[in-house]
Amino acid sequence: MDHAADARRTDLMTITRHVLNEQPKHPESKGDFTILLSHIVLGCKFVCSAVNKVLLFLFPSTIGSPIAISTSIPPSLFSQAGLAKLIGLAGETNRRPFALLSLNQGEEQKKLDVLSNEVFVKALISSGRTCVLVSEEDEEATFVDPSLRGKYCVVFDPLDGSSNIDCGVSIGTIFGIYMVKDKDNVSLDDVLQPGKHMVAAGYCMYGSSCTLVLSTGNGVNGFTLDPSLGEFILTHPDIKIPKRGKLYSVNEGNAKNWDTPTAKFVEKCKFPKDGSSPKSLRYIGSMVADVHRTLLYGGIFLYPADKKSPNGKLRVLYEVFPMSFLMEQAGGQAFTGEQRALDLVPTKIHQRSPVFLGSYDDVDEIIALYAAEEKKA
């Protein structure tokens, strides 16, 4: 038995240990944020397990991988009925379980979305540290019972990109956290704040590994779930996005509907006139996966407004704000086409916005193009 190796395995920086180490930097802290985060982490582990069960059914060749080892799979899952319960539709009329996988975004909710939402709502309320919750899956905000209230508002997309799960693409949970002034007198105004007022933001990506990226306003750190320990271990400390990247990420299928600055920028990425090498296009169509790659390798992620969606498509509170918060904390920028993304003041909980985020210099270029276009007007 290798006792030295076992000793090293216990001297790991877990996400809980990391947050506890940060606590002394905030003298007013009483541990409430640490408790809240532990409940978010629990929700991420639960959803990761549910996603892996679906992936193992769809892609049996993954059996024997770390994903398979980390997941306890009930025999009932390996039947069409078991699978349908997990990835079927809420209120669906089509009873063929495998047909349920191919429905496009905008149609009925998949059960995995509903399950993930229920998991996070219950985890957040049971923490006793939240007062208002805003979820992508719920039309209205959830106001926590006064007896269970704490001082935090949490905005989240419980399972972003879930329509891609049947092709094995990484999907994820996105979240942002605000602090309220008076937990006994809360309203939507406590949530409808600029993103710059967030105290923390992050995402958890479910794929070949389970990775949680978090910022509490003091840099960005990435943690990977160790299946053998059931703990998120610090694997990407102090993430810094390169000042300029070689990649751009955008759905070019919408190119005919873009405005002039976006079209010019993408044209420059492909055909630079300064003698530099063209940027490479990388687009997955799952925001968590695309932003994660951009954060690590540099470049720019674009989801602009266009003629079909003049207000953009991404949701401000639980997609644009958390990802913009992370990008800025990692040394990048985020821009809406009109202003710094984190300065935007939302008026509705499901409000949409365009966004350009990524490496500082790359976003600077798109800002300059919009400024030039505005001067012409």
Side-chain angles (χ1 to χ4, degrees), residues 145-167:
D145 185 275
S147 63
L148 296 172
R149 279 184 189 171
K151 61 183 179 181
Y152 293 104
C153 300
V154 182
V155 293
F156 61 99
D157 186 344
L159 202 61
D160 182 75
S162 59
S163 60
N164 291 313
I165 192 170
D166 51 318
C167 60

Side-chain angles (χ1 to χ4, degrees), residues 215-373:
S215 175
T216 57
N218 187 29
V220 181
N221 293 280
F223 304 82
T224 303
L225 183 63
D226 183 330
S228 65
L229 298 176
E231 291 280 2
F232 280 99
I233 307 300
L234 181 64
T235 51
H236 297 77
D238 195 22
I239 297 171
K240 296 295 182 187
I241 187 170
K243 198 170 183 185
R244 184 179 293 277
K246 298 178 180 179
L247 306 174
Y248 73 103
S249 182
V250 67
N251 182 358
E252 290 209 55
N254 295 325
K256 70 175 184 177
N257 297 313
W258 288 343
D259 59 18
T260 301
T262 301
K264 282 184 177 179
F265 179 81
V266 173
E267 183 75 5
K268 186 179 179 182
C269 287
K270 296 191 286 188
F271 305 103
K273 296 178 181 178
D274 58 2
S276 61
S277 299
K279 293 183 185 293
S280 297
L281 171 65
R282 296 288 185 272
Y283 185 70
I284 297 168
S286 172
M287 188 187 189
V288 170
D290 280 314
V291 170
H292 186 67
R293 182 197 56 249
T294 303
L295 186 65
L296 295 183
Y297 301 154
I300 185 169
F301 170 83
L302 308 88
Y303 213 122
D306 56 35
K307 293 174 184 175
K308 292 192 301 181
S309 305
N311 296 319
K313 290 197 72 175
L314 296 180
R315 311 287 186 161
V316 172
L317 280 179
Y318 41 79
E319 290 178 323
V320 173
F321 279 172
M323 293 309 199
S324 299
F325 187 92
L326 290 168
M327 279 297 169
E328 287 201 3
Q329 285 293 317
Q333 286 195 85
F335 178 63
T336 67
E338 295 181 355
Q339 64 186 123
R340 175 193 177 208
L342 293 180
D343 286 339
L344 178 64
V345 181
T347 57
K348 300 176 182 177
I349 61 173
H350 297 300
Q351 184 173 325
R352 300 175 189 267
S353 171
V355 71
F356 306 85
L357 53 83
S359 295
Y360 197 95
D361 288 354
D362 290 324
V363 178
D364 249 0
E365 285 189 25
I366 197 85
I367 292 173
L369 287 168
Y370 271 96
E373 188 71 14

Side-chain angles (χ1 to χ4, degrees), residues 41-55:
V41 167
L42 178 62
C44 290
K45 290 177 183 177
F46 192 102
V47 173
C48 177
S49 177
V51 170
N52 286 345
K53 288 172 185 177
V54 174
L55 290 174

